[in-house]
Amino acid sequence: MTAPGDVVAAYWAAAATRDWDAFGDLVAEDVVYEGPQTRERIRGRAAYVRFNVEGFPGDWRLRVVRIIGEGRGAASWIDFTNADGTTQPGLCFFELNDDNRIARITDFWPDPYELPAQRAHLVERF
Amino acid sequence: MTAPGDVVAAYWAAAATRDWDAFGDLVAEDVVYEGPQTRERIRGRAAYVRFNVEGFPGDWRLRVVRIIGEGRGAASWIDFTNADGTTQPGLCFFELNDDNRIARITDFWPDPYELPAQRAHLVERF
């Protein structure tokens, strides 16, 4: 398993099944996670696994929409469904190290927003 | 220019320089654009170029942070700076057709949000 897209697919499969040992083994010991929207950062495998186990309680589930990998990088788009049934897209950019472990994760969670009036006449709605 | 990442790089370069002829030539005649956050959709090259020209007035600029391409797909992460100096990440997923034109674009604009209290003890801030 060397293609970055395969590593990211295994990462999401491990998260989806709460296989935290497999999940932890897919990230580097010195992994760095950043969420630019909240300006939150986590450093290191142990802290990152703990963040995933404790930071997202409840019966969530996820579905991979798209994974794209190239070189040592990858991007993923998932749909994340909370216990209350609401679904939100989650978008990540990854960098892998030479051991094919995920060394850097940048995570984005776009929320719905109102269509700006200035472009309302230029689009249809779905 | 056949790699999807190269097509997307040219797409952003054309947008950044307001070269709308080049921009239009990089997308398929039947391109479909979707913004899931507002549930907006645009169909066709002419409508999509018009959307870009008229929908985003003002002296914005953009910087490509990352482009990843694989197969007929690509993902990009840009920083988009408005005339008022505020910068927001923009994330796109692309699908190319057999002519190496962009046939489908899904566009996300994540906004800042408050760090949820349930995970505040698990992260540092930057």
Side-chain angles (χ1 to χ4, degrees):
Chain A
M1 187 199 300
T2 55
D6 291 342
V7 175
V8 169
Y11 169 93
W12 286 124
T17 56
R18 277 74 164 170
D19 183 347
W20 301 117
D21 288 340
F23 184 86
D25 196 46
L26 289 160
V27 303
E29 181 67 37
D30 60 350
V31 63
V32 176
Y33 165 96
E34 288 185 352
Q37 292 166 275
T38 50
R39 303 185 66 80
E40 65 194 290
R41 180 186 289 132
I42 300 151
R43 301 174 194 264
R45 177 186 289 154
Y48 186 57
V49 172
R50 186 177 173 217
F51 167 77
N52 280 277
V53 173
E54 297 181 20
F56 302 87
D59 188 26
W60 54 263
R61 61 187 193 277
L62 66 84
R63 181 178 71 88
V64 171
V65 180
R66 197 88 59 84
I67 294 174
I68 297 170
E70 181 182 23
R72 296 285 77 203
S76 69
W77 166 9
I78 65 167
D79 276 343
F80 185 91
T81 302
N82 288 291
D84 66 6
T86 58
T87 295
Q88 185 176 21
L91 311 168
C92 289
F93 284 77
F94 299 90
E95 292 173 30
L96 275 66
N97 67 16
D98 292 339
D99 295 327
N100 282 311
R101 288 195 167 86
I102 294 167
R104 194 164 186 96
I105 305 163
T106 311
D107 193 19
F108 297 98
W109 295 96
D111 277 309
Y113 67 93
E114 285 299 308
L115 181 66
Q118 71 186 16
R119 65 178 193 257
H121 64 293
L122 300 169
V123 307
E124 60 182 91
R125 308 300 294 276
F126 67 91
Chain B
M1 189 199 298
T2 55
D6 291 343
V7 175
V8 169
Y11 169 92
W12 286 123
T17 56
R18 276 74 164 170
D19 184 346
W20 301 118
D21 289 340
F23 184 86
D25 196 47
L26 289 159
V27 304
E29 182 66 37
D30 60 350
V31 63
V32 176
Y33 166 96
E34 287 185 353
Q37 292 166 274
T38 49
R39 303 184 66 80
E40 66 194 287
R41 180 186 289 133
I42 299 151
R43 301 173 193 264
R45 176 186 288 155
Y48 186 58
V49 171
R50 185 176 173 218
F51 167 77
N52 279 276
V53 173
E54 297 181 19
F56 303 88
D59 188 26
W60 54 263
R61 59 186 193 277
L62 67 83
R63 181 178 71 87
V64 171
V65 180
R66 198 88 59 84
I67 294 173
I68 297 170
E70 181 183 23
R72 296 284 78 201
S76 69
W77 166 9
I78 65 165
D79 277 343
F80 185 92
T81 302
N82 287 291
D84 66 6
T86 58
T87 295
Q88 184 176 22
L91 311 168
C92 288
F93 284 77
F94 300 89
E95 291 174 31
L96 275 65
N97 67 14
D98 292 339
D99 296 328
N100 282 312
R101 288 196 167 85
I102 295 167
R104 195 165 183 94
I105 305 163
T106 311
D107 193 20
F108 297 99
W109 295 97
D111 277 310
Y113 67 94
E114 286 298 309
L115 181 66
Q118 71 187 14
R119 66 176 192 257
H121 63 296
L122 299 169
V123 307
E124 59 182 89
R125 308 301 293 277
F126 67 91

